[in-house]
Amino acid sequence: MQYPPTHLVVMGVAGSGKSTLAAALSHTLGWACAEADEFHPAANIAKMSQGIPLQDDDRWPWLGEIRDWMTGKSRDGLSTVLTCSALKQSYRRLLSEAGGRVIFLHLDGGADLIGQRMQGREGHFMPPTLLPSQLATLEPLSQEELDAGSLRLDISRSPEELVAAVVQALGLDADQAPRAS
């Protein structure tokens, strides 16, 4: 069975483990992988580095670039794994406009665990002081999003357990999924 181009958007607040899970899924499935942070303009990175939360006006062009990247990969017949906070339903609606099938994987967990993870990170522009603003902005997946195939994942589980859960829940087979070239 050949799958249509599928985009797995690993979402959640900073420090929830998006990069770790995305890399593991990309490796398992052989799909192209990207970090949404790579699509931020310099002005957004400068704001966040100074501890200034982004506003929607900062995010719309960034989200449009991500959507367009997924659409380009879809046109090439490729599936992708992407990290993106995608904190609001309106952001996810924009990303869902990408060509292909878009599935959100929400890494969900407690603020204490996420804060501990953020304290242990080095070299990331997102300071732990912005975690409360991210948690306040987060709109969990709606029932409609869950019914469409998106998943809520418990970050207390290991990356290996999460990969297995995603592959099983979505009926993916690493040997038959469209691969990155």
Side-chain angles (χ1 to χ4, degrees), residues 10-22 106-124 126-129 131 153-162:
V10 183
M11 61 160 288
V13 298
S16 59
K18 294 183 297 288
S19 296
T20 300
L21 181 59
H106 177 196
L107 292 177
D108 192 20
D112 289 344
L113 177 56
I114 294 169
Q116 289 170 3
R117 288 180 176 186
M118 288 182 82
Q119 293 292 343
R121 292 197 308 189
E122 292 181 18
H124 196 278
M126 176 72 82
T129 55
L131 179 58
L153 303 169
D154 180 351
I155 66 168
S156 67
R157 296 172 68 189
S158 73
E160 296 79 16
E161 290 173 310
L162 293 174

Side-chain angles (χ1 to χ4, degrees), residues 6-145:
T6 299
H7 309 289
L8 301 179
V9 180
V10 183
M11 61 160 288
V13 298
S16 59
K18 294 183 297 288
S19 296
T20 300
L21 181 59
L25 283 165
S26 175
H27 176 76
T28 298
L29 298 169
W31 294 1
C33 187
E35 294 271 344
D37 290 345
E38 298 167 8
F39 295 86
H40 271 300
N44 285 6
I45 292 173
K47 273 187 164 183
M48 290 183 285
S49 295
Q50 296 170 35
I52 301 169
L54 297 181
Q55 303 301 312
D56 282 352
D57 287 343
D58 301 313
R59 290 187 178 101
W60 294 123
W62 167 66
L63 292 165
E65 289 288 325
I66 295 166
R67 176 203 56 213
D68 295 347
W69 178 83
M70 289 188 293
T71 296
K73 293 296 184 187
S74 235
R75 283 189 193 122
D76 294 338
L78 299 175
S79 292
T80 68
V81 180
L82 174 77
T83 66
C84 182
S85 53
L87 298 176
K88 291 185 178 181
Q89 289 179 7
S90 58
Y91 305 164
R92 297 191 294 271
R93 274 193 299 276
L94 179 79
L95 294 172
S96 292
E97 295 172 0
R101 179 178 165 209
V102 179
I103 296 172
F104 296 95
L105 307 175
H106 177 196
L107 292 177
D108 192 20
D112 289 344
L113 177 56
I114 294 169
Q116 289 170 3
R117 288 180 176 186
M118 288 182 82
Q119 293 292 343
R121 292 197 308 189
E122 292 181 18
H124 196 278
F125 59 81
M126 176 72 82
T129 55
L130 288 182
L131 179 58
S133 73
Q134 287 219 324
L135 291 168
T137 302
L138 176 64
E139 295 173 0
L141 292 171
S142 68
Q143 189 59 51
E144 181 179 337
E145 290 171 308

